[in-house]
Amino acid sequence: MQMLIFRDSVVESVGEGVKNLKPGDHVLPVFTGECGDCPHCKSEESNMCELLRINCDRGVMIGDGKARFSQNGTPINHFLGTSTFSEYTVIHEGCLAKIDPKAPLDKVCILSCGVSTGLGATLKVAKPKKGSSVAIFGLGAVGLAAAEGARISGASRIIGVDLNPNRFDQAKNFGVNEFVNPKDHNKPVQEVIAEMTDGGVDRSLECTGNINSMISAFECVHDGWGVAVLVGVPTKDAIFKTNPMKVLDERTLKGTFFGNYKPRSDLPSLVDMYMNKKLEVEKFITHRLPFSEINRAFDLMLKGEGLRCVISMEE
């Protein structure tokens, strides 16, 4: 049935059918998975596993359609296939990435979601060349991870775009060296960026999910070679509109999910990048709180007062 029980990101026990993990393995749980057998998993270009891709509505295990948690006989649904707000949890093998046991779990744990999403959107999808220009729309944790990817790639101009000027100083730590606040200008921000960069940036990444920001991110890239990558998740009814000539002028629009990383295949290499000091993760961790203060952690997130908060199950 390919189920595992783990605590503190260490495998506690394994169920029938588990082939690649054993008790004691250090792992990262991921909200999407990699079964290894479907067409998407076998494709070098996709990470959209047919069996284990994100499903916000499924609250049970895939194998038998039942929950593994209960309270006084009442079933408790699973969340995003991981249910990590608990000391022990049960997860499908395909949603766990085995990592270097020497890696500090209280740091590399943040690679399970947003940081990898932004980083991969740049390194695996946008692929800026050394010396290129990159615009990042949204300077939250995902956007700053995208900026970190641009820094690692050797981009010379990394332009941060955000409505909150308080984020600009922090963004400098992630390689952002120019800033644009759309509220400071009386023209569309894509026009501002085009003027700054002699026709447009080489690459842009939209990390807010705002539909107007998405349009700006696409229209601010240079004709002929510019690539815009949509990372943020819009509302389900949002409609993207732009002049078709923007496409015919050889601009490219791409989308990405979890940075195009296959969880089991690719996340171990990100942990190795951290262990080899090629990737900094500590600067994304702005708060650490015990589980009893988890509501405060959500408040920090909603108010934009932190990047990533690591929750400890121990007081």
Side-chain angles (χ1 to χ4, degrees):
M1 295 177 65
Q2 297 184 307
M3 297 184 304
L4 302 96
I5 297 177
F6 83 104
R7 181 178 189 268
D8 294 334
S9 289
V10 177
V11 176
E12 175 76 14
S13 58
V14 302
E16 180 183 350
V18 174
K19 300 177 181 178
N20 301 303
L21 294 170
K22 64 183 185 303
D25 283 343
H26 288 212
V27 293
L28 292 181
V30 186
F31 63 92
T32 186
E34 181 185 352
C35 72
D37 297 321
C38 73
H40 284 275
C41 286
K42 291 180 179 180
S43 169
E44 295 181 356
E45 301 180 8
S46 175
N47 67 340
M48 303 286 288
C49 176
E50 289 185 4
L51 179 67
L52 299 170
R53 71 173 61 180
I54 185 172
N55 185 330
C56 298
D57 298 322
R58 184 180 63 235
V60 295
M61 298 299 294
I62 287 178
D64 59 8
K66 297 179 180 180
R68 296 295 182 272
F69 308 119
S70 64
Q71 183 176 30
N72 300 323
T74 301
I76 298 175
N77 285 341
H78 296 248
F79 180 65
L80 290 180
T82 58
S83 301
T84 51
F85 289 161
S86 58
E87 291 185 278
Y88 290 85
T89 189
V90 185
I91 297 181
H92 191 286
E93 178 184 21
C95 291
L96 290 171
K98 182 179 177 180
I99 63 170
D100 183 346
K102 297 186 295 294
L105 292 171
D106 66 336
K107 296 178 181 178
V108 298
C109 60
I110 66 170
L111 293 173
S112 289
C113 189
V115 173
S116 295
T117 296
L119 192 70
T122 303
L123 296 179
K124 287 179 64 67
V125 186
K127 299 179 181 178
K129 297 178 181 179
K130 185 176 181 180
S132 61
S133 57
V134 180
I136 309 292
F137 286 75
L139 299 177
V142 175
L144 293 178
E148 183 78 353
R151 182 191 66 78
I152 292 172
S153 298
S156 60
R157 299 183 70 178
I158 305 176
I159 303 169
V161 183
D162 202 292
L163 297 173
N164 183 357
N166 294 328
R167 290 179 166 178
F168 291 167
D169 281 342
Q170 184 178 50
K172 295 176 183 178
N173 298 325
F174 298 84
V176 179
N177 48 33
E178 297 179 61
F179 302 95
V180 175
N181 185 338
K183 293 190 295 186
D184 293 340
H185 302 273
N186 57 8
K187 63 177 67 175
V189 69
Q190 55 264 45
E191 294 181 14
V192 175
I193 293 174
E195 291 175 0
M196 291 172 58
T197 56
D198 192 24
V201 290
D202 301 308
R203 302 288 187 268
S204 73
L205 296 106
E206 200 295 317
C207 303
T208 72
N210 179 278
I211 196 66
N212 292 321
S213 179
M214 291 181 172
I215 294 170
S216 296
F218 175 61
E219 295 185 351
C220 81
V221 299
H222 205 291
D223 59 2
W225 63 79
V227 178
V229 180
L230 304 187
V231 187
V233 180
T235 61
K236 64 178 182 179
D237 298 323
I239 301 295
F240 184 98
K241 294 182 180 180
T242 191
N243 190 313
M245 284 303 302
K246 298 290 185 181
V247 180
L248 294 176
D249 284 342
E250 299 185 4
R251 295 174 178 83
T252 299
L253 178 66
K254 293 185 174 183
T256 183
F257 172 73
F258 193 51
N260 203 230
Y261 285 128
K262 294 178 184 286
R264 296 164 66 189
S265 299
D266 296 329
L267 283 195
S269 65
L270 291 187
V271 173
D272 292 342
M273 284 178 64
Y274 166 74
M275 296 296 286
N276 294 325
K277 302 186 184 304
K278 295 180 180 179
L279 172 66
E280 298 178 48
V281 299
E282 290 91 345
K283 59 188 178 183
F284 288 95
I285 302 172
T286 54
H287 298 82
R288 292 181 179 274
L289 293 172
F291 185 77
S292 60
E293 296 185 42
I294 192 169
N295 287 338
R296 183 187 167 207
F298 279 113
D299 288 339
L300 289 168
M301 178 183 68
L302 293 172
K303 294 177 181 178
E305 295 179 358
L307 294 179
R308 284 293 177 263
C309 177
V310 175
I311 299 294
S312 171
M313 301 305 297
E314 300 174 356
E315 296 295 327

